[in-house]
Amino acid sequence: MTRLVIVDDDPMVRTGLRLILGGEPDLDIVGEAEDGRRAMTVIRDLRPDVVLMDIRMPNQDGLTTTELLLAQPDPPRILVLTTFDADDMVLRALQLGAGGFLLKDTPPPKMIEAVRAVARGEPVLSPSVTLQVIAAATDGREPRHPEARRELDRLTEREREVAIEVARGSSNAEIAERLYMSVATVKANITRIFSKLETDNRVHVAMKVRDAGLL
């Protein structure tokens, strides 16, 4: 059973998330909070496995709360929920160690699977959020085709296919379905991709794919 806490200043959003996630037999919503300060107390007392974290909140925003939580021993996994199209705070949350990003209008089945994936330790990024984070990180610079292509030449053809799917924001399960492989094989490919590209971050992989002109 995965224990969840919802942190969002909008009571309608919290209600909606409860309706989406609360009926799943393996997901248990144990608490909620309307801002970051309250979230710190709720999370300390309830010890959830995953926190669904809004970024823009009064009193203490989601970035500060994420940073404080991840600095603690044995922290929960953080799934950031966002309603905006592009924001440097999303990139900052990634740098702090958030486990994933989802738009709040993500279809319920995909949101449920995203929560399960983050609970398993798999990073999750909405495709549109992935592209926005890449845009923010590259800050308008031109793609570095030759250098990026040399880096991607280290990959096998199969690893390159997986890297492109990562850049599109696909989850491990989605990659497995599209490329006709098991989830375990996808994970093994991603591990090799990280090693060859000298990174441990899916967005960094996506940036290299973008720079190579493969998106």
Side-chain angles (χ1 to χ4, degrees):
M1 179 71 73
T2 299
R3 293 164 55 82
L4 308 176
V5 163
I6 299 168
V7 183
D8 197 294
D9 64 328
D10 187 338
M12 293 298 292
V13 171
R14 298 198 303 271
T15 298
L17 291 172
R18 278 189 172 275
L19 290 173
I20 291 170
L21 303 172
E24 297 302 308
D26 58 328
L27 303 179
D28 182 16
I29 301 174
V30 296
E32 60 182 58
E34 68 279 3
D35 61 46
R37 290 180 184 172
R38 174 61 181 160
M40 296 299 296
T41 300
V42 170
I43 293 165
R44 181 196 63 207
D45 293 343
L46 299 178
R47 306 296 297 172
D49 303 299
V50 176
V51 176
L52 284 75
M53 181 76 71
D54 188 22
I55 288 185
R56 297 180 183 274
M57 294 183 293
N59 299 322
Q60 182 172 291
D61 63 41
L63 274 184
T64 301
T65 307
T66 295
E67 184 172 18
L68 291 172
L69 287 173
L70 295 180
Q72 297 179 358
D74 192 26
R77 301 188 190 278
I78 308 294
L79 178 57
V80 173
L81 299 176
T82 177
T83 55
F84 41 85
D85 290 332
D87 200 297
D88 58 0
M89 289 195 294
V90 174
L91 181 60
R92 177 60 181 151
L94 174 71
Q95 294 168 337
L96 291 173
F101 302 91
L102 280 183
L103 294 176
K104 290 182 182 179
D105 61 359
T106 298
K110 288 188 175 294
M111 183 170 290
I112 292 166
E113 178 51 38
V115 171
R116 289 172 176 154
V118 168
R120 294 192 299 265
E122 299 175 12
V124 172
L125 297 168
S126 289
S128 57
V129 175
T130 300
L131 296 176
Q132 291 146 15
V133 170
I134 294 170
T138 54
D139 196 24
R141 65 173 171 78
E142 289 299 313
R144 299 176 291 110
H145 293 294
E147 179 182 344
R149 286 176 178 169
R150 282 194 296 271
E151 290 187 79
L152 290 181
D153 281 344
R154 304 172 192 168
L155 306 181
T156 66
E157 182 177 351
R158 199 56 160 166
E159 289 165 355
R160 190 191 304 261
E161 291 176 338
V162 172
I164 290 171
E165 288 299 326
V166 167
R168 290 172 175 159
S170 302
S171 68
N172 288 355
E174 289 169 335
I175 296 172
E177 181 178 356
R178 289 170 185 165
L179 299 183
Y180 304 103
M181 58 175 66
S182 69
V183 173
T185 301
V186 172
K187 291 179 180 178
N189 274 274
I190 290 175
T191 297
R192 291 193 295 270
I193 291 167
F194 283 177
S195 177
K196 291 179 180 181
L197 299 184
E198 299 178 352
T199 186
D200 59 358
N201 190 291
R202 291 169 85 103
V203 169
H204 292 167
V205 172
M207 289 171 62
K208 292 179 187 294
V209 170
R210 178 261 189 190
D211 278 349
L214 300 181
L215 278 182

